[in-house]
Amino acid sequence: MNDERNGSKSIAILGSTGSIGTQTLEVVRNNPQLQVAALAANSSVEKLEAQVREFHPKMVGMWTEKAAEDLRIRISDLDVKVVTGMEGLLEIAVLPESQVLVTAIVGMIGIRPTIAAIEAGKDIALANKETLVTAGHLIMPLARERGVSILPVDSEHSAIFQSLNGEPGNRIEKILLTASGGPFRGRTREQLAGMQVEDALKHPNWSMGRKITVDSSTLVNKGLEVMEAKWLFDVKLDQVQVVVHPQSIIHSAVQFVDGAIIAQLGMPDMKLPIQYALFYPDRRPMDGKRVDLFELQQLTFEKPDQETFEGLKLAYQAARQGGSMPTVFNAANEKAVALFLDKKISYLQIPELIGSAMEQHSVIKNPTVEQILEAEQQTYEYIAGRISYGW
Ligand code: NDP
Ligand code: MG
């Protein structure tokens, strides 16, 4: 949805101070055709103030009232509306000036703003995979009905999206979803038991937010991405095959019904999928290191070890059960990762908590947004209960 008169495009970013958010703003910096209509963050007031002064949005959101008050004082010399809480995120999502909503917040908090933006006819540049994992059955049909595009920002899904360019209809036989394997690739369960927060935060190829970095080490991230791929590309779970590819050069591939495989290769740099989503179907120049095949010499592939990295196995299980189960999987993981980062539980207690939260849940088929948020809350309460009983 380009503005045909001057080729410019206006975007709003939820989560502008995070890893994806700041890289999106780098893309904006390098592309004068992009304008920023609105920005939102949780509580990073200083960073948001600097972004406001550089990118001149019309509206900004802070999750907490306290942070919003602080920001209002800091930018009182500017004509910028400061909004708060969920109401604020919803107001930003439907802002008439913006054409694309970049969802770069973490977690299921993104569901309602994403739905509101689609209803208002905005295209979505989607990084916030938790939204599709838990509410894909609501979001994808709504997007089709409203004629808006869901443009993947996640590197693997962008690669799949790029591999599908120009292909007629759905001729996918299989999606080959690549995974770096994370920092603990090749480790045994016994070795994993002793892993500390510092170890889990050392990703070999990508620099990302803390939660997704831990998710990459447990393969929960890949599990979430399997579900994300199922919704985005309308395929069955069995058509999504995870391939461990430690070099992170092939960002994913599609095998078509005639056996041809088309892949997208590149250096591990999120700015490429972000820029691609913002300018689709165009490609714009981008600086940066290029893949040098001679330097690489070889690309390698392995099967994922689902017995050691139970996160992936549990994700397939949750996806097969469907309905509200992916929400429980996701919410249990969010809580467990937060507890692990706070050093309240050990590394292997992450999949253990996810598994036990899933066991105690009775699936609701086709949950509404309210039921999804209720299942999330119940899962949080279940885990809080487990922790208070002597973990
Ligand atoms: P970060 O933790 O780096 O950033 C999260 C952002 O969301 C911050 O700007 C944070 O603000 C903001 N935020 C958190 N809670 C709220 C809230 N309640 N209201 C408004 N803003 C909020 O995360 P990432 O950038 O790593 O990840 C964002 C999403 O993108 C996730 O869903 C992740 O799975 C996905 N993704 C990330 C990739 C990456 O390379 N990082 C790759 C592929 C997908 P504050 O600074 O104030 O806390
Ligand atoms: Mg990814």
Side-chain angles (χ1 to χ4, degrees):
M1 284 219 284
N2 265 322
D3 186 331
E4 296 296 336
R5 285 157 304 171
N6 55 14
S8 75
K9 193 185 260 189
S10 189
I11 66 170
I13 310 173
L14 304 183
S16 64
T17 54
S19 164
I20 295 289
T22 51
Q23 292 182 87
T24 304
L25 288 172
E26 261 185 72
V27 170
V28 173
R29 229 176 246 132
N30 296 330
N31 289 281
Q33 311 90 315
L34 295 174
Q35 268 111 51
V36 176
L39 298 169
N42 183 31
S43 59
S44 302
V45 178
E46 260 175 53
K47 281 192 201 158
L48 205 56
E49 180 189 356
Q51 292 180 347
V52 169
R53 295 195 182 278
E54 180 177 357
F55 295 99
H56 314 293
K58 191 182 139 66
M59 188 181 285
V60 288
M62 296 277 12
W63 182 252
T64 62
E65 187 54 52
K66 187 171 168 290
E69 212 31 65
D70 187 359
L71 187 67
R72 276 189 198 108
I73 296 165
R74 284 165 181 263
I75 58 170
S76 57
D77 57 317
L78 303 172
D79 183 21
V80 178
K81 183 172 177 192
V82 180
V83 293
T84 60
M86 181 51 74
E87 286 311 307
L89 293 183
L90 293 172
E91 208 175 323
I92 287 174
V94 304
L95 194 67
E97 287 80 0
S98 127
Q99 294 159 295
V100 182
L101 182 71
V102 181
T103 61
I105 45 180
V106 192
M108 290 163 60
I109 200 142
I111 297 175
R112 292 184 56 205
T114 305
I115 290 177
I118 297 171
E119 278 174 342
K122 316 287 181 198
D123 286 335
I124 309 291
L126 187 137
N128 180 215
K129 62 190 89 181
E130 296 91 336
T131 295
L132 270 193
V133 166
T134 56
H137 61 290
L138 303 174
I139 288 171
M140 294 312 292
L142 183 65
R144 273 192 290 273
E145 186 191 309
R146 299 297 159 108
V148 313
S149 304
I150 309 285
L151 303 152
V153 166
D154 211 347
S155 58
E156 295 79 359
H157 304 75
S158 175
I160 296 161
F161 189 58
Q162 293 178 57
S163 301
L164 288 169
N165 245 338
E167 296 294 334
N170 192 343
R171 296 284 183 272
I172 302 173
E173 188 167 273
K174 211 191 241 184
I175 284 176
L176 302 168
L177 187 75
T178 53
S180 71
F184 304 149
R185 184 176 59 88
R187 303 289 175 98
T188 62
R189 253 190 101 74
E190 293 66 44
Q191 288 171 319
L192 288 190
M195 289 305 162
Q196 301 299 314
V197 172
E198 299 70 30
D199 306 314
L201 288 179
K202 277 185 211 135
H203 195 280
N205 304 335
W206 296 95
S207 154
M208 308 179 284
R210 283 157 63 87
K211 189 239 169 199
I212 185 176
T213 304
V214 176
D215 288 354
S216 298
S217 78
T218 56
L219 293 199
V220 163
N221 181 51
K222 213 42 62 177
L224 294 171
E225 290 185 356
V226 168
M227 297 189 240
E228 187 185 8
K230 173 182 120 78
W231 289 118
L232 278 172
F233 306 111
D234 197 18
V235 292
K236 298 199 176 71
L237 272 181
D238 300 342
Q239 288 175 284
V240 187
Q241 183 177 323
V242 174
V243 179
V244 175
H245 165 48
Q247 296 83 15
S248 296
I249 294 295
I250 298 181
H251 296 308
S252 279
V254 178
Q255 182 175 311
F256 290 92
V257 288
D258 58 357
I261 294 179
I262 299 187
Q264 184 251 326
L265 283 70
M267 295 304 290
D269 181 349
M270 287 307 297
K271 289 199 290 302
L272 193 150
I274 293 169
Q275 179 168 295
Y276 190 76
L278 294 179
F279 286 106
Y280 173 80
D282 200 3
R283 282 190 189 275
R284 298 288 163 116
M286 201 173 115
D287 292 338
K289 192 168 172 346
R290 276 14 183 183
V291 170
D292 182 338
L293 293 176
F294 299 116
E295 193 183 306
L296 273 171
Q297 294 190 2
Q298 58 173 352
L299 299 174
T300 60
F301 308 95
E302 299 163 17
K303 276 197 176 147
D305 175 358
Q306 293 199 34
E307 296 312 316
T308 307
F309 296 91
E310 280 175 292
L312 184 56
K313 193 162 131 186
L314 288 166
Y316 270 106
Q317 201 178 306
R320 270 195 203 98
Q321 294 179 49
S324 53
M325 197 54 97
T327 294
V328 174
F329 171 85
N330 181 64
N333 177 60
E334 277 183 26
K335 227 353 143 224
V337 169
L339 288 164
F340 173 69
L341 286 170
D342 271 355
K343 308 199 173 184
K344 300 256 167 57
I345 63 169
S346 70
Y347 188 70
L348 283 183
Q349 282 173 323
I350 300 175
E352 204 178 323
L353 276 178
I354 301 173
S356 59
M358 282 170 59
E359 244 167 59
Q360 57 85 48
H361 179 71
S362 319
V363 177
I364 305 163
K365 285 192 179 144
N366 286 317
T368 59
V369 172
E370 287 69 32
Q371 287 170 322
I372 291 169
L373 298 177
E374 230 167 81
E376 178 193 37
Q377 204 47 46
Q378 281 167 2
T379 306
Y380 287 169
E381 282 161 20
Y382 168 76
I383 290 187
R386 282 288 307 264
I387 298 303
S388 63
Y389 283 108
W391 272 52

